[in-house]
């Protein structure tokens, strides 16, 4: 078995391998040279002689973390031909890919796991990244009058129209969240675009006041035998008026939908915001199908927000990236190597949760792989829970 980067000549086989393993139906029988030329993803494959038997694609992203932009990899298309499974091919690919990601300047790596235990072997840790709320539209009846007289304009987006206003709202929203991706105008349009509007049943609405964009809502109409359901794909807002406008709009669908499913970023809890007649009528589900791995621990600790008087030491262990086996002194304006006794001792998985704002020190102290020796008050101020908005699929 040979492990190497996927080259242009391998791209079509990689495409077919992913299609085979992820149950996709494709009609393309020949590679498209133009698409191969435009493919900027970094793929690694395991080859048995000349046959591609397993692969991992590392999609390049820039993510926001504490208001700063960091280089990120989005792991996808993890796939192995059935006859080669349990051969260790994926493990061998990860053992090459992860150290290379460090050399390429990535700060974190992320993925959507099929199994959390499997990816923990490679240093990834679960990030509960959003909550989904299921309720009937009449739960929002108190919002039916909030936006009245506020001169908020609601406009439905059509393919081919500009998405500038949507992007303006997204950027304002995403910059305040951790793990949201930096989007281009083209990237924003991909989230709005549909093939056939009334077949895909995908609709996007922009909310403006005095021509200033306040919020947007993207949702899909899902029909079943009992009643139709409104599934919100994504929503974002710039202010309370924008958030209220979204809920006001959703409250109008009492005759259309039996259920609304509304995802919100981790840290924004609908049950703490709305004054519904009965909170028991709202179902809440935490989504945990997302994982993160710190690739460059020193760089990440430089990036995260810290108090002005920050000063603590941290010892980190990492099985795949030797540069992360290190003890660091972390100050507000510097992160340097040290031989001093660490205030906190942890592995790369635990650091992934703490540094991303997924968990706090009280939760960390309950993990078996974290030891806090001293300076607890400072650590409590540094590692706080933060808003998390995971915005891309890969």
């Amino acid at each position: 078995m040979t492990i190497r980067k996927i080259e242009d000549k391998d791209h079509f086989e990689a495409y077919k391998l992913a299609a085979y393993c992820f149950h996709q139906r494709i009609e393309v029988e020949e590679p498209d040279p133009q698409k191969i030329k435009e493919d900027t993803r970094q793929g690694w494959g395991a080859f048995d002689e000349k046959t591609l038997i397993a692969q991992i694609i590392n999609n390049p992203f820039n993510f926001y973390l504490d208001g700063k932009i960091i280089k990120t990899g989005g792991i996808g298309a993890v796939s192995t031909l059935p006859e080669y499974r349990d051969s260790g091919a994926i493990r061998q690919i990860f053992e090459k890919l992860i150290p290379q990601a460090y050399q390429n300047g990535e700060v974190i790596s992320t993925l959507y796991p099929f199994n959390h235990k499997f990816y923990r072997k490679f240093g990834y840790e679960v990030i509960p990244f959003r909550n989904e709320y299921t309720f009937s539209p009449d739960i929002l009846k108190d919002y039916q009058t909030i936006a009245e007289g506020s001169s908020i304009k609601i406009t439905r987006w059509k393919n081919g129209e500009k998405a500038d206003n949507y992007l303006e709202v997204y950027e304002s929203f995403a910059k305040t969240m951790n793990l949201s991706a930096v989007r281009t105008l083209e990237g924003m349009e991909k989230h709005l675009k549909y093939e056939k509007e009334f077949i895909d049943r995908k609709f996007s609405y922009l909310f403006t006041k005095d021509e200033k964009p306040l919020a947007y809502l993207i949702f899909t109409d899902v029909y079943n035998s009992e009643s139709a359901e409104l599934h919100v794909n994504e929503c974002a807002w710039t202010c309370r008026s924008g958030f209220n406008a979204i809920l006001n709009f959703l409250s109008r669908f009492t005759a259309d939908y039996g259920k609304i499913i509304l995802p919100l970023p981790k840290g924004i809890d609908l049950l703490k915001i709305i004054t519904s007649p009965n909170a028991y009528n709202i179902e809440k589900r935490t989504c945990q199908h997302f994982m993160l791995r710190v690739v460059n621990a020193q760089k990440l600790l430089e990036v995260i927000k810290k108090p002005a008087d920050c000063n603590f030491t941290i010892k980190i262990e990492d099985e795949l990236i030797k540069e992360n086996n290190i003890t660091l002194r972390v100050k507000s304006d510097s992160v340097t190597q040290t031989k001093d006794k660490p205030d906190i001792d942890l592995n790369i998985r635990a650091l992934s949760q703490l540094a991303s704002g997924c968990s706090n020190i009280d939760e960390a102290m309950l993990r078996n792989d974290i030891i806090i020796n001293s300076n607890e008050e400072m650590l409590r101020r540094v590692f706080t829970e933060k808003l998390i908005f995971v915005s891309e699929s890969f």
Side-chain angles (χ1 to χ4, degrees):
M1 187 186 304
T2 302
I3 309 298
R4 63 169 173 81
K5 290 183 179 180
I6 291 175
E7 302 170 359
D8 285 354
K9 61 184 176 63
D10 308 310
H11 279 186
F12 191 59
E13 290 305 312
Y15 168 67
K16 290 194 295 182
L17 173 58
Y20 177 54
C21 293
F22 291 101
H23 316 288
Q24 298 171 351
R25 271 61 176 171
I26 59 174
E27 297 180 358
V28 180
E29 296 183 359
E30 297 293 334
D32 184 331
Q34 185 61 31
K35 287 186 177 180
I36 288 175
K37 184 178 179 181
E38 295 172 353
D39 194 341
T40 60
R41 300 176 301 170
Q42 301 167 14
W44 285 78
F47 295 81
D48 184 0
E49 295 182 354
K50 294 183 179 181
T51 302
L52 177 65
I53 65 172
Q55 68 169 332
I56 299 175
I57 302 299
N58 193 17
N59 301 278
F61 286 100
N62 287 325
F63 276 14
Y64 288 110
L65 189 76
D66 286 356
K68 299 177 183 177
I69 296 174
I70 60 171
K71 189 173 181 179
T72 305
I75 299 296
V78 180
S79 45
T80 308
L81 289 174
E83 61 268 35
Y84 290 95
R85 290 174 186 173
D86 298 322
S87 66
I90 294 299
R91 169 174 282 281
Q92 290 186 50
I93 295 174
F94 264 121
E95 288 173 349
K96 294 276 190 179
L97 185 155
I98 295 299
Q100 186 62 53
Y102 179 94
Q103 298 300 326
N104 290 344
E106 289 183 23
V107 179
I108 61 173
S109 177
T110 59
L111 55 80
Y112 294 91
F114 76 93
N115 181 292
H116 297 99
K117 183 178 180 180
F118 178 81
Y119 287 107
R120 281 192 176 105
K121 295 184 294 186
F122 309 112
Y124 291 85
E125 187 53 280
V126 61
I127 304 291
F129 67 106
R130 74 173 179 231
N131 293 314
E132 287 184 352
Y133 301 88
T134 302
F135 51 86
S136 62
D138 60 9
I139 286 291
L140 301 175
K141 64 181 181 181
D142 290 348
Y143 285 85
Q144 291 176 355
T145 57
I146 283 179
E148 280 187 0
S150 62
S151 68
I152 289 181
K153 182 179 179 182
I154 306 172
T155 308
R156 192 168 92 216
W157 188 83
K158 297 283 189 180
N159 274 350
E161 294 179 350
K162 291 184 178 181
D164 305 63
N165 287 333
Y166 285 85
L167 184 61
E168 181 179 335
V169 173
Y170 173 82
E171 288 181 335
S172 174
F173 189 71
K175 288 177 181 178
T176 66
M177 308 278 174
N178 276 359
L179 308 184
S180 54
V182 178
R183 273 186 197 167
T184 62
L185 184 59
E186 181 183 12
M188 188 72 242
E189 289 172 351
K190 286 181 179 179
H191 282 266
L192 302 171
K193 194 175 181 180
Y194 50 82
E195 292 297 325
K196 295 181 179 179
E197 186 176 25
F198 292 103
I199 292 179
D200 293 350
R201 303 293 297 175
K202 178 181 176 182
F203 307 101
S204 302
Y205 286 87
L206 182 72
F207 303 84
T208 59
K209 183 177 182 181
D210 300 328
E211 299 186 356
K212 181 177 177 58
L214 300 181
Y216 67 76
L217 174 70
I218 307 170
F219 70 88
T220 303
D221 173 288
V222 178
Y223 179 78
N224 59 48
S225 58
E226 295 181 1
S227 64
E229 296 179 357
L230 188 157
H231 291 203
V232 175
N233 302 346
E234 182 176 292
C235 60
W237 55 90
T238 63
C239 58
R240 184 172 62 186
S241 294
F243 179 74
N244 287 344
I246 291 172
L247 296 188
N248 167 272
F249 183 74
L250 292 175
S251 74
R252 304 177 185 189
F253 289 107
T254 53
D256 304 83
Y257 296 104
K259 290 182 180 179
I260 292 174
I261 300 176
L262 173 65
L264 291 177
K266 177 187 177 298
I268 298 177
D269 193 334
L270 187 67
L271 294 173
K272 299 176 183 177
I273 300 169
I274 70 170
T275 55
S276 63
N278 195 339
Y280 288 124
N281 293 331
I282 301 176
E283 297 177 13
K284 177 181 177 181
R285 181 177 78 94
T286 298
C287 299
Q288 67 276 16
H289 54 285
F290 188 76
M291 298 184 82
L292 183 148
R293 188 201 204 284
V294 174
V295 175
N296 189 321
Q298 183 166 350
K299 181 65 176 178
L300 184 64
L301 290 168
E302 290 172 352
V303 168
I304 65 170
K305 187 177 180 180
K306 299 176 285 291
D309 60 343
C310 179
N311 190 351
F312 70 93
T313 53
I314 181 170
K315 182 180 179 181
I316 305 159
E317 295 181 0
D318 189 337
E319 293 182 359
L320 291 184
I321 302 176
K322 65 180 187 301
E323 290 88 350
N324 285 336
N325 289 294
I326 193 171
T327 300
L328 299 168
R329 177 163 295 281
V330 181
K331 296 184 178 182
S332 60
D333 58 352
S334 66
V335 179
T336 55
Q337 293 189 43
T338 183
K339 294 183 179 180
D340 294 342
K341 181 180 178 180
D343 295 316
I344 181 171
D345 194 321
L346 76 179
N347 62 36
I348 205 71
R349 291 187 294 106
L351 180 63
S352 296
Q353 284 191 342
L354 279 174
S356 65
C358 169
S359 62
N360 56 43
I361 287 297
D362 289 310
E363 291 171 326
M365 291 171 69
L366 299 177
R367 289 183 62 119
N368 293 327
D369 53 4
I370 291 181
I371 299 173
I372 296 179
N373 302 304
S374 55
N375 210 2
E376 181 181 324
E377 188 274 335
M378 176 58 69
L379 295 172
R380 192 177 297 278
R381 291 166 57 200
V382 172
F383 297 115
T384 60
E385 290 190 72
K386 298 168 183 176
L387 299 176
I388 293 178
F389 174 46
V390 174
S391 59
E392 308 304 312
S393 298
F394 38 84

